[in-house]
Amino acid sequence: MAVNEVSRASVGLRSERGPVLLAVMLSMSLVAIDSTILATAVPAVVSDLGGFSQFPWLFSVYLLTQAVTVPIYAKLADLYGRKPVMLVGIGLFVLGSLLCGIAWGMTSLIVFRALQGIGAGAVQPIGQTIIGDIYTVEERAKVQGYLASIWAISAVLGPTLGGLFSDYLSWRWVFLVNLPVGIAAAVMFWRGFHENVERRQHRIDYAGAVLLTVGGLLLLLALLEGGVRWSWTSATSITLFAAAVVLLTGFAFVERRAAEPVLPSWVFRHRVVVAAMTTTLIVGVLMMGMTTYVPLYGQSVLGHGAVASGLALAAIALGWPLSASNSGRLYLTVGFRTTMLIGGAVSTAGASLLLLVGPGSSIFVLAAPCFVMGLGFGLVASPAIIAAQSAVSWQQRGVATGSTMFSRSIGSAVGVAAFGAIVNGVVASHVGGGIPDLEHLTPTVLEPAIHAVFVASAVVAVALLVVGFLMPRRIEEPEA
């Protein structure tokens, strides 16, 4: 791959495209900060609104609605342009944030979080698609540093703001702080982003959109809540999985006949896109294992506080953008395939280091493998998305980007289900059946259960190495 030298000044915030880049960064910061800011405010929310048993839905419903809307927004962006879809997404996210800020009960807050998720389904994938539109592959190597900085800052800023708002103002500011940021991003897109979209009559695939949305929603719901709110063998689980299979099978048949399908079949035949989707799916699985069980290990096994355990997890969020911002130099020099293989090797090394963590380990011994895994993720996830964008035309870029991000959401749900089943199985074997509440589990029971998750993560991480070989050695970018 030939490398053309690109200066930071030509692609930075002060360049001609700088206002659009800043608008993308502001809009993506909404999603980035939202992923971390609410966790520290949950005690204040529950204290004010009640509904302790319902609060996990504040996270689940957001993930569900975000995930199932990504492919639909991606297709609409290819049909009607990025700008209107992004403005709709920002508008829905800001409206959802406003309503969350004035919520009068836990149920209403959950409903408004769903609206936030519907907006977030557009913001991140379309933001990435816009970057793919206005920058070349070489330029994106520099731009990734700006985008990665958003996630690095959010990893620290989100929990800090959540704690400060809860302690000194009100938990409602966790949501209301999104309003000025979202409005600023929308104004900048409205005034500064211009695109030429071919105006023609489109045949909207309404049937495909409905089947994908409902079927995907039921599948994710079954994966996220199975083994938690109901057992895997219960009538509820069986019904949800069966309905999801029927609806998604119907979706596959509808897409074969649709004039402009929501999720075209070429996505599953395109070698680069398939490699990118598989990569992000595996990263989603691993991230959920780390996000769920690293803090729990730090608190319940090592005996550290929530802040120290949270910082151990934050090591992933620091390592990821650090390597992602520098991955461009690597893939421009050695290619996407080699870069992803290196990232897979680093991720596997980090997951293997987790196996050395034990009951007598310090919090730094727990954080170090997380940081190494974050470095690996940055070398596989970001290049995978850029590779998928680079291998397709403008008319297909939204779907290619959205498909990779949808795969990561599916991976996250699968990770929750798989790792939860592992933990529950080990705990049940130690206590002789039945899963007691967390506060009744001793470190001697939790340690082998979570260690089993670390073992499974190391096995899954090896798959990143295998998937790296699916990526072609050379990727040709279609002519504009």
Side-chain angles (χ1 to χ4, degrees):
M1 182 180 292
V3 180
N4 299 321
E5 188 63 31
V6 177
S7 67
R8 187 170 292 275
S10 66
V11 299
L13 297 176
R14 295 185 179 181
S15 67
E16 183 180 358
R17 292 163 290 182
V20 179
L21 174 58
L22 180 58
V24 171
M25 292 174 67
L26 286 173
S27 61
M28 291 181 68
S29 71
L30 293 171
V31 179
I33 292 179
D34 190 82
S35 66
T36 58
I37 194 173
L38 181 58
T40 51
V42 165
V45 174
V46 173
S47 176
D48 188 16
L49 300 180
F52 177 78
S53 62
Q54 295 175 287
F55 91 83
W57 275 94
L58 292 176
F59 302 94
S60 296
V61 76
Y62 178 89
L63 175 62
L64 288 169
T65 53
Q66 180 186 22
V68 299
T69 53
V70 165
I72 297 173
Y73 283 129
K75 181 61 180 180
L76 291 175
D78 284 344
L79 294 178
Y80 299 106
R82 325 308 192 199
K83 185 175 181 177
V85 177
M86 179 60 103
L87 290 174
V88 168
I90 293 174
L92 290 174
F93 191 93
V94 169
L95 177 59
S97 298
L98 174 62
L99 294 173
C100 285
I102 61 175
W104 51 88
M106 185 61 76
T107 301
S108 62
L109 183 58
I110 290 171
V111 171
F112 299 146
R113 278 286 284 173
L115 181 59
Q116 259 193 318
I118 293 173
V123 171
Q124 189 174 355
I126 305 307
Q128 287 279 9
T129 305
I130 290 172
I131 295 300
D133 288 343
I134 66 176
Y135 293 105
T136 65
V137 174
E138 292 80 11
E139 290 172 332
R140 270 175 261 166
K142 296 284 186 182
V143 173
Q144 281 302 310
Y146 290 93
L147 300 183
S149 68
I150 293 296
W151 295 93
I153 293 171
S154 299
V156 178
L157 187 61
T160 304
L161 285 178
L164 290 175
F165 288 150
S166 300
D167 290 342
Y168 299 105
L169 291 175
S170 168
W171 62 265
R172 298 180 184 275
W173 281 98
V174 165
F175 302 105
L176 297 178
V177 73
N178 294 326
L179 272 60
V181 178
I183 291 171
V187 170
M188 295 186 73
F189 271 119
W190 181 265
R191 298 179 59 181
F193 181 50
H194 308 286
E195 58 184 346
N196 296 318
V197 182
E198 180 185 354
R199 302 297 178 185
R200 61 186 179 88
Q201 190 69 30
H202 294 288
R203 297 179 62 182
I204 305 299
D205 181 18
Y206 293 108
V210 171
L211 288 171
L212 176 62
T213 300
V214 180
L217 192 66
L218 293 179
L219 175 62
L220 289 171
L221 181 62
L223 290 171
L224 287 170
E225 300 299 331
V228 180
R229 291 184 176 271
W230 47 75
S231 70
W232 292 109
T233 56
S234 68
T236 303
S237 275
I238 295 172
T239 301
L240 286 173
F241 278 117
V245 169
V246 170
L247 290 171
L248 293 177
T249 302
F251 168 74
F253 281 107
V254 168
E255 295 303 272
R256 295 176 63 181
R257 296 174 174 270
E260 297 182 90
V262 172
L263 195 60
S265 60
W266 66 260
V267 167
F268 303 100
R269 297 193 302 268
H270 197 294
R271 183 177 173 184
V272 177
V273 177
V274 168
M277 290 172 62
T278 309
T279 298
T280 54
L281 184 143
I282 296 171
V283 170
V285 171
L286 291 171
M287 274 299 295
M288 286 313 299
M290 299 302 98
T291 301
T292 306
Y293 294 106
V294 165
L296 182 60
Y297 194 94
Q299 292 181 69
S300 300
V301 177
L302 302 184
H304 293 284
V307 174
S309 301
L311 289 176
L313 178 62
I316 292 181
L318 293 176
W320 187 325
L322 182 64
S323 60
S325 62
N326 292 284
S327 64
R329 300 176 187 176
L330 196 55
Y331 67 65
L332 290 176
T333 304
V334 300
F336 288 105
R337 180 181 184 178
T338 303
T339 300
M340 292 172 63
L341 287 172
I342 294 172
V346 174
S347 300
T348 303
S352 300
L353 288 174
L354 266 179
L355 302 181
L356 303 178
V357 178
S361 300
S362 71
I363 196 67
F364 298 104
V365 174
L366 180 62
C370 294
F371 180 74
V372 175
M373 289 185 72
L375 290 175
F377 293 160
L379 292 175
V380 292
S382 298
I385 293 174
I386 295 173
Q389 292 178 334
S390 304
V392 299
S393 63
W394 185 96
Q395 292 83 0
Q396 299 172 322
R397 190 168 293 140
V399 166
T401 305
S403 298
T404 58
M405 295 192 172
F406 180 62
S407 296
R408 183 175 165 184
S409 297
I410 294 294
S412 297
V414 171
V416 169
F419 293 136
I422 290 172
V423 169
N424 289 341
V426 175
V427 169
S429 67
H430 277 75
V431 300
I435 310 297
D437 293 335
L438 178 62
E439 58 267 24
H440 297 135
L441 292 176
T442 63
T444 55
V445 173
L446 269 179
E447 197 283 329
I450 300 179
H451 188 77
V453 170
F454 294 162
V455 173
S457 297
V459 174
V460 174
V462 174
L464 283 177
L465 277 171
V466 178
V467 172
F469 287 102
L470 291 177
M471 187 64 69
R473 292 183 181 275
R474 185 176 179 84
I475 297 175
E476 298 291 339
E477 189 166 12
E479 295 184 5

